Amino acid sequence: MENLDPNVPIAPLIAILIGVVLAFGGYRLKRIAMSIIWFVIGYSLVKNFAPNLIADPFWQMVLQIAAGAILSLVGLSIEKLAVSLTAGIVVGWFVIQHFGPVTSWVLPAIAIAAGAVAGMIAVWMMKPAVIIFTAIEGANLIATNVISLLPENFASIPYLFLILFGIIFVVAAGWQWNNCKNIE
C-alpha cells in the first residue's frame, strides 16, 4: 500500500473499474450489471437529499449505501421492469447530464421522452438493450472519471468527453455483441 500515490483519488479509479465491467461485461454479467446500475441510481438519488436529512457525513454515507443496496435488490427481483426502468433512467440521465443545463422544460421533456422510448424498446429487445445501456453507462463512467484524473489543460479540451465516450461505447458495445452471440 505504500506505493500508492496519495494525490490520486481512489474513487475515480474504482468508478473506472466498475465502468470497464459494465461496458465490456454488461450482458454476460447482466444480473451483476443491473445490481451495480441500480446501486448507483439509489446512491446518487440519496446523495442529493442526504445533507438535508442528516448533518453527520458518516450517516449520510450510510444512508446513501443503504438506498443503493435497497434499489439494487429491488432491481434484481423485478428483472423486466428493472431493465425497462434502467434503460429509461440511463438514457434520460445521460441526456440531461451531457446536453446542457436544465434551464427550461425542453431538456427534461426530451430526456423523459428518450428514456420512455428506451424503456419500451428495452423490454421488446432485451439483449440489444442490455448491451447498449450497459455500454452507455460503462463508457460514461470510464470517460467521466478518466477526464477527472487528467491535468486541467487536457481535461478542458473541447469535446474530449464525447470523443472518449464515443470510442469506448462503440468498442464496448461491439465487444459485447460479438462475445454474447450464443448467450440468452
Side-chain angles (χ1 to χ4, degrees):
M1 284 296 227
E2 297 101 26
N3 295 337
L4 289 176
D5 183 357
N7 297 322
V8 176
I10 195 78
L13 297 175
I14 292 170
I16 290 168
L17 180 62
I18 292 169
V20 169
V21 169
L22 284 175
F24 292 95
Y27 189 77
R28 187 173 293 275
L29 305 170
K30 180 172 55 171
R31 294 186 59 81
I32 294 170
M34 296 296 291
S35 184
I36 291 170
I37 290 172
W38 277 98
F39 180 87
V40 170
I41 290 169
Y43 183 91
S44 299
L45 287 174
V46 173
K47 184 177 182 178
N48 295 326
F49 301 110
N52 298 333
L53 301 172
I54 302 171
D56 184 10
F58 172 77
W59 290 108
Q60 288 176 13
M61 179 67 71
V62 169
L63 183 62
Q64 293 166 336
I65 292 170
I70 290 167
L71 278 183
S72 178
L73 292 172
V74 169
L76 284 174
S77 65
I78 49 176
E79 186 177 8
K80 283 193 177 189
L81 178 61
V83 167
S84 176
L85 288 173
T86 303
I89 290 170
V90 165
V91 170
W93 185 280
F94 184 82
V95 168
I96 286 176
Q97 188 179 19
H98 296 292
F99 290 103
V102 179
T103 56
S104 71
W105 61 271
V106 176
L107 186 62
I110 291 170
I112 290 169
V117 169
M120 288 185 282
I121 291 171
V123 172
W124 180 48
M125 298 171 40
M126 183 79 80
K127 183 176 181 177
V130 170
I131 289 172
I132 289 170
F133 73 71
T134 57
I136 286 173
E137 189 57 29
N140 186 27
L141 279 171
I142 295 167
T144 300
N145 288 286
V146 164
I147 290 172
S148 77
L149 294 173
L150 292 176
E152 185 64 35
N153 57 338
F154 287 111
S156 62
I157 295 173
Y159 305 110
L160 179 62
F161 171 81
L162 290 176
I163 293 166
L164 190 56
F165 169 82
I167 291 168
I168 296 166
F169 169 74
V170 168
V171 170
W175 172 271
Q176 284 194 63
W177 189 259
N178 286 332
N179 289 301
C180 296
K181 288 181 181 176
N182 298 326
I183 298 174
E184 286 302 317

